[in-house]
Amino acid sequence: MRMDWKPLTRILLIGVLYCLFLGVWMWAVRQVFPGNPANITPDLYKGVPVESHAWLEPWQRWDTPHYQAIAERGYAAFENALFTPPLFPWLMRLGAPLFGGNTLASGLFVSGLAFLGCLAAFVQTAHFELGSDREASRALLYLLSFPTAFFLVAAYSESLFLLGAILSLYNARRKRWVAAGLWAALAALARIPGTFLVFPLGYAAWQAWREGQRSGLLAPLLAGLGAGVYPLYDWLILRQSPFAILTAQYARGGSLSLPGWNMVEAVIRIFRRQLVAENLIELSFTVLLILMAVMIWKKLPRIYGVYTLTLMLLFLTRIGSPQPLVGMARYGLEIFPTFFVLALLGRNVRVNRFILYLSWPGLLFFSAQFAMWGWVG
């Protein structure tokens, strides 16, 4: 069977134009607002040179210099560098020679390639689950319109993780167990939440076992092996305790709590007038994700419900400081089945307009805030 390249070409063209649009938008924002807030200190750059190129500078924000420092100097670059698995910084380092040693440009290139792969995998999976090009295209539109979708283009590990997560669950649905496990391993090497893919894959393997297919066990087995690579690397190569990864995570301003207690803390801080806007935004995204989790459980195959429930429990047991729900606006991207459910709801014209008319201003505002060193996840 000959492959139809037209849909793939269209998706890739959309992705490239999306990247160009965000690049021009954030450059324009910095031309209008060129200064940095007073609280942006050299320590935030972790010893990485401050980017001077006008088109690259708006993307050197928050975690990005941390990834750069690890790519350039390894995990000894700064305290708590173990907060992230090695795949993304390693790829940044590998690609840096193509850009004259610039790890920021390399990181954007790696994220850009992963982003294009994400779009292709997302549309393929959406079509498989929703059954039509129309719904798949609508789901893609909602993903690209999500207020924090620019993180898939930024020099963050989000797009690598999402690529692995989507293809892992897609292959599990197609009963391609080895591929499902290997893609889950990639997700685990990109972001800590990737280690939890073992749970939806374990559910899929249990379902296959009930149908007499023992090979399904390969998926969670390979996912588990992939999840163990980083702790083993930390222990055997870096000579650190495997638990130092968790220590680094919480040393960056977080701790464990009862599930949902971070929502209570966010409400308390809002009433105390502590970072009201930030906590309101994060709380709103959290409530939205909880509602979407219920709908995912009801409307989509159960593997997506297990995936969503697992990640939501992870996110709801982490309490940040000074924002208890820190990162929830960005983490919403990782609950990608949300966009499948929204595509179903968006069959209604009014619902479709409501989603888009909320999302587009949010995307412009959040990306502009990011460019100006505003914290948006």
Side-chain angles (χ1 to χ4, degrees):
M1 179 182 294
R2 296 181 62 184
M3 183 174 181
D4 186 0
W5 288 96
K6 288 184 178 179
L8 179 60
T9 302
R10 184 170 62 251
I11 292 167
L12 295 181
L13 179 60
I14 290 171
V16 170
L17 292 175
Y18 186 81
C19 293
L20 290 174
F21 166 76
L22 283 176
V24 172
W25 167 246
M26 294 177 71
W27 169 84
V29 168
R30 289 299 283 166
Q31 301 310 299
V32 177
F33 303 100
N36 288 333
N39 63 333
I40 303 306
T41 62
D43 180 64
L44 288 172
Y45 290 94
K46 302 301 180 186
V48 174
V50 178
E51 183 59 54
S52 59
H53 195 288
W55 290 95
L56 295 178
E57 188 274 337
W59 297 98
Q60 194 181 41
R61 300 292 183 264
W62 302 114
D63 285 0
T64 298
H66 298 201
Y67 291 127
Q68 287 184 263
I70 296 169
E72 294 174 9
R73 307 194 303 277
Y75 280 105
F78 60 93
E79 190 178 2
N80 305 320
L82 292 171
F83 80 97
T84 184
L87 182 59
F88 184 61
W90 180 77
L91 290 175
M92 291 175 74
R93 181 174 184 174
L94 185 67
L98 299 175
F99 302 93
N102 189 316
T103 51
L104 174 58
S106 177
L108 290 169
F109 178 71
V110 170
S111 287
L113 291 180
F115 171 67
L116 296 178
C118 269
L119 298 190
F122 181 86
V123 171
Q124 182 182 37
T125 306
H127 188 276
F128 178 77
E129 300 298 351
L130 303 178
S132 77
D133 290 333
R134 189 178 184 85
E135 266 72 32
S137 297
R138 190 182 300 119
L140 177 62
L141 176 60
Y142 293 157
L143 171 66
L144 294 177
S145 303
F146 195 69
T148 57
F150 66 91
F151 277 111
L152 296 176
V153 177
Y156 271 59
S157 58
E158 251 67 25
S159 52
L160 266 181
F161 166 82
L162 198 58
L163 176 64
I166 293 172
L167 287 176
S168 176
L169 299 190
Y170 172 74
N171 280 287
R173 287 280 289 150
R174 300 296 299 270
K175 301 188 186 304
R176 300 169 181 169
W177 305 115
V178 172
L182 291 176
W183 282 110
L186 180 142
L189 288 170
R191 281 183 53 76
I192 295 296
T195 62
F196 292 87
L197 278 163
V198 69
F199 292 103
L201 294 184
Y203 170 81
W206 174 68
Q207 289 288 86
W209 182 282
R210 294 177 62 188
E211 298 170 1
Q213 299 181 35
R214 305 295 186 261
S215 58
L217 293 173
L218 287 171
L221 176 61
L222 290 171
L225 290 174
V229 167
Y230 183 37
L232 282 175
Y233 173 78
D234 185 36
W235 181 34
L236 299 177
I237 306 299
L238 300 181
R239 303 296 181 182
Q240 299 280 337
S241 165
F243 299 104
I245 299 168
L246 296 177
T247 303
Q249 285 282 329
Y250 298 127
R252 301 177 81 232
S255 60
L256 286 176
S257 69
L258 292 174
W261 185 251
N262 47 9
M263 296 181 68
V264 176
E265 281 289 330
V267 172
I268 291 173
R269 296 190 188 196
I270 290 169
F271 278 103
R272 290 178 177 174
R273 300 186 181 278
Q274 298 175 356
L275 297 176
V276 175
E278 292 86 346
N279 282 309
L280 269 175
I281 289 172
E282 300 288 1
L283 182 61
S284 299
F285 274 96
T286 305
V287 172
L288 172 65
L289 291 175
I290 291 173
L291 293 174
M292 288 295 102
V294 173
M295 300 190 72
I296 290 167
W297 190 269
K298 291 182 175 181
K299 291 182 176 293
L300 295 181
R302 189 50 46 86
I303 188 173
Y304 295 109
V306 175
Y307 168 80
T308 300
L309 180 62
T310 302
L311 288 191
M312 286 302 297
L313 284 174
L314 171 65
F315 299 153
L316 290 175
T317 53
R318 179 183 182 273
I319 183 166
S321 178
Q323 296 165 239
L325 292 166
V326 62
M328 288 301 292
R330 171 163 54 100
Y331 298 157
L333 287 169
E334 300 174 8
I335 313 294
F336 71 90
T338 292
F339 304 103
F340 297 168
V341 169
L342 290 177
L344 297 175
L345 298 176
R347 291 169 177 169
N348 183 293
V349 175
R350 291 183 178 178
V351 173
N352 177 62
R353 290 174 180 171
F354 178 76
I355 294 171
L356 293 177
Y357 292 169
L358 277 181
S359 298
W360 289 338
L363 176 62
L364 293 176
F365 174 76
F366 276 53
S367 56
Q369 282 293 306
F370 182 82
M372 295 186 293
W373 279 102
W375 178 260
V376 291

